Amino acid sequence: MLKALLSTWAGRFIAVFVLVQLLLPLHYYLARKDPHDERFAWRMFSPMRMTRCQPTFVIDGKPTNLGAEFHEAWVEVAGRGRFTVIEAMGARLCAKYPKSEVRVSIDCTYLDREPRSYGGYDMCTVPLL
Amino acid sequence: MAKKGHRPKKKAAPAPASERADGSPPRSELAKAHANKSRAHAPTELVREPAFWFGFEVSWAKLSFARLVIFALLALDALLQISHAPRYGAGGFNVGQLPGLDTIGPGRVGFEIGQLLCAYLFVYAALGVATRFVIPAAAAIYAWLYFGSQLDSYQHHYLVALVLVIACFVPWERKPETVPGTPIRAWAVRLLLVQLGILYLWAAISKMSPAWLDGRTITGQITGSLRSAIEGSVGFKAAARFALLTELILAVTVWVRPAWIVALPVGIAFHIGILASGLDIGLFAYLMLAFYVFLVPDRLVVWIAESLPLRVIRGALRRIRLERPVAQTIVTGFALAISVALARFCRFDHAFVLAAVLCAIPIVLLAAAHLVAAPGSTLRRSVAAAGLAHLLAIGVWLVVDRSTTTAVDYFRFWGGNARRLGDPVSAEVAYRRLIQIAPDEPAGYFQLGRLLLARGEEVAGLEALHEAQRLEPLAARAWLAEAQWLVGKGRKAEAIQKAQEAVYSEPTNQAARDLLDTLSGTRSAPAAPVDPARPPARDDDADKPDKP
């Protein structure tokens, strides 16, 4: 059956497509370091969607108004705790304010687990959460 | 185990058995032709293509109806996304869905034009015109728009990106001898249904947690009529478990033809329920319902397609088919002229220029049909349809623009972004365009007035604020802005008068009351109680984030 499927280009396309779609969501459960990032995992309306995070960016000891630095849609994504976006925001602020300390912390509350904080350090020296 | 070299080589492999609703073999000449084609391209070794994929057939009537519904919805969805374009590239910041895409993600203009193009191409696809070209083109543009930025949090847009890739391999175009009941072999349609099954499976797995099963999650998500219906009947715990069970059922039935008798009613009821849930998920539920067209029994769709009214319409369309070059040129030219005229009234940014540029597509097709294509070819027979598809696509732009606030929101959000991110020049351009297309919209005058006053253009700024005061007599903000400007100018008496106007206009506005108190040096009456159900104040030029 598999040999027959793989004997044509269309069959090979089907096999790769189905395999990728079956396995890609596993990445969320097995390998993704960011539990808030549910992209490509078909986790519509999951409990994680109810997560609320409060990202705080402090530049040289002064809290930053994220709304003045980034579009509100990005601030909203950061409010869902998505690490890649928060890391990119940190990198952006580090570039904009060179030689400054950009301390980032995220406080998240969950529906199904205890609140948790992430970060809390200078993202210009440690750029990943 | 037979080794490859030991098996006697044959020139042709047997064609896969068909999978039809009644399990019978393919009957049409088209199916036989397809089988012969399969043989011609089969490897010399005896390999039977799996019937599960390559024997899958749908009737032409169902395929063409699904094409119409799905691509029409996608065109609508693309146009409705345009209001979000200003968030793309705002402040020069972007994070792609995939690593390495940050810098090539779309900006405001790219996203807006990309969605206009997608909608345009989807209309062609919905009509079955040049699908072999327009669907791959739309898939590429859509993939760029979606994967280029994490700003698109709609998971159904990821599904659409996948579906468009699959759709590139569906034989959407009608062959001359095709009739409504003609079975069309379409492994890509089977793949699409398997993709839906995978989606349901993983969606169900994501709900296998205590927070879902005890109803906590669904309690926090559902609003609207469904919420009260659940509260008054089974309760959220049972509803949550029922949703999980439904997704599991759909995961195993949506791609298996004999099980469609279960999947069709269950899936339709499920997605109608999602529609009633009040979740802000764009056109997701409608799109999923559109995919269920593939599950409708072929016999029913063919019966409808063979009904007298539809037969009459098809016959009429065949009779007016234009095959002479002169007639095709006249029709195409007429369609292009009307489309350009329509585009003048379309308020989407760049719509007119883009519509004019897109006129090249029917013109090129017309030239190719008569200079390159063979007589009797599909292109030569149907090239006039490209002109009509172009006209309809521009018509769809116009209808969506004029029946929604998408274009108005686009300029309002653009101005708001630019203003908040410290780009007053862009903000002014956006607000002036907003005033131009929506002269009754107070936000444009209010924000433009503030911008002009901030840079010292007093007459024009006050004029804009006064217009905003006229357009929204029950809002304090324009009075307040004028009062604050007068304070800055040291004109206290006039400022008090404007602050009083602000309080009269909107007695619950605390900022207006505070300013009046400060200026007059007295305490005014206590503020009216604020309705707790009223949402917190938010700029009316701020974009609303997507829900995942």
Side-chain angles (χ1 to χ4, degrees), chain B residues 65-306:
Chain B
F65 181 57
R67 184 193 70 206
L68 179 67
V69 174
I70 290 169
F71 286 106
L73 268 176
L74 290 179
L76 182 61
D77 193 35
L79 291 173
L80 293 178
Q81 293 307 306
I82 286 174
S83 62
H84 298 308
R87 62 168 75 162
Y88 286 81
F93 181 76
N94 184 48
V95 185
Q97 299 275 15
L98 301 173
L101 296 184
D102 298 359
T103 52
I104 62 167
R108 174 180 58 80
V109 175
F111 186 86
E112 196 250 356
I113 290 178
Q115 294 291 10
L116 281 173
L117 272 175
C118 278
Y120 178 87
L121 296 171
F122 288 147
V123 172
Y124 271 64
L127 299 176
V129 177
T131 55
R132 280 182 297 170
F133 305 103
V134 298
I135 294 177
I141 296 169
Y142 198 98
W144 173 58
L145 298 178
Y146 177 76
F147 289 105
S149 178
Q150 291 193 32
L151 281 172
D152 191 338
S153 293
Y154 282 133
Q155 296 217 25
H156 78 273
H157 286 162
Y158 172 45
L159 176 66
V160 170
L162 296 173
V163 165
L164 286 175
V165 172
I166 295 171
C168 292
F169 303 101
V170 176
W172 299 108
E173 283 187 41
R174 182 182 179 275
K175 303 286 189 299
E177 68 271 35
T178 305
V179 295
T182 303
I184 307 293
R185 288 201 168 184
W187 57 264
V189 174
R190 171 79 87 180
L191 183 57
L192 190 155
L193 296 174
V194 169
Q195 170 59 60
L196 294 186
I198 293 171
L199 179 156
Y200 285 124
L201 174 67
W202 282 112
I205 289 171
S206 76
K207 294 178 176 63
M208 293 176 183
S209 74
W212 179 270
L213 293 171
D214 64 14
R216 266 181 293 162
T217 306
I218 203 171
T219 304
Q221 291 179 342
I222 288 190
T223 59
S225 57
L226 189 61
R227 183 179 184 91
S228 49
I230 291 173
E231 280 176 328
S233 55
V234 296
F236 287 109
K237 185 176 176 180
R241 293 175 180 218
F242 185 71
L244 170 58
L245 179 65
T246 302
E247 288 185 334
L248 284 174
I249 290 171
L250 292 173
V252 295
T253 56
V254 76
W255 49 276
V256 181
R257 190 189 293 267
W260 286 353
I261 194 167
V262 175
L264 183 63
V266 170
I268 288 176
F270 182 61
H271 289 290
I272 287 177
I274 291 175
L275 277 177
S277 68
L279 292 165
D280 182 12
I281 50 171
L283 296 182
F284 172 66
Y286 292 104
L287 192 65
M288 293 301 286
L289 286 169
F291 292 137
Y292 276 84
V293 168
F294 286 120
L295 276 61
V296 176
D298 288 74
R299 274 175 292 185
L300 176 63
V301 184
V302 172
W303 178 75
I304 294 170
E306 296 284 15

Side-chain angles (χ1 to χ4, degrees), chain A residues 1 3-5 7-11 13-14 17-18 21-26 29 37-50 52 66-74 76-77 80 82 84-85 88-89 92 111-113, chain B residues 45 47-50 53-54 87 90-95 97 146-147 149-151 153 155 158-159 162 165-166 169 187 191 195 198-199 202-203 205-207 209 211-212 216-217 220-221 279 281 417 420-421 542-543 545-548:
Chain A
M1 173 74 175
K3 186 180 176 185
L5 183 66
S7 66
T8 61
W9 70 265
F13 173 79
I14 292 168
F17 193 97
V18 171
Q21 280 303 304
L22 277 172
L23 298 182
L24 188 60
L26 274 178
Y29 298 93
D37 185 356
E38 300 182 293
R39 292 173 302 136
F40 314 127
W42 304 121
R43 290 176 54 83
M44 288 82 79
F45 317 124
S46 73
M48 189 56 76
R49 188 193 178 205
M50 307 297 286
R52 293 290 174 268
L66 280 184
E69 299 284 351
F70 303 99
H71 186 277
E72 58 260 28
W74 287 117
E76 173 74 15
V77 177
R80 292 180 197 149
R82 196 174 295 173
T84 51
V85 171
M89 286 176 156
R92 166 68 178 261
L111 198 62
D112 57 350
R113 61 185 81 173
Chain B
E45 190 184 352
V47 177
R48 178 188 282 272
E49 289 179 326
W53 297 105
F54 299 106
R87 62 168 75 162
F93 181 76
N94 184 48
V95 185
Q97 299 275 15
Y146 177 76
F147 289 105
S149 178
Q150 291 193 32
L151 281 172
S153 293
Q155 296 217 25
Y158 172 45
L159 176 66
L162 296 173
V165 172
I166 295 171
F169 303 101
W187 57 264
L191 183 57
Q195 170 59 60
I198 293 171
L199 179 156
W202 282 112
I205 289 171
S206 76
K207 294 178 176 63
S209 74
W212 179 270
R216 266 181 293 162
T217 306
Q221 291 179 342
L279 292 165
I281 50 171
N417 298 342
R420 280 182 291 277
L421 294 174
D543 194 357
D546 288 344
K547 295 291 188 294

Side-chain angles (χ1 to χ4, degrees), chain A residues 59-60 93-102 122 124:
Chain A
I59 301 176
D60 291 335
L93 292 175
C94 288
K96 186 174 178 181
Y97 304 103
K99 298 178 183 174
S100 293
E101 181 192 75
V102 178
D122 179 13
C124 301

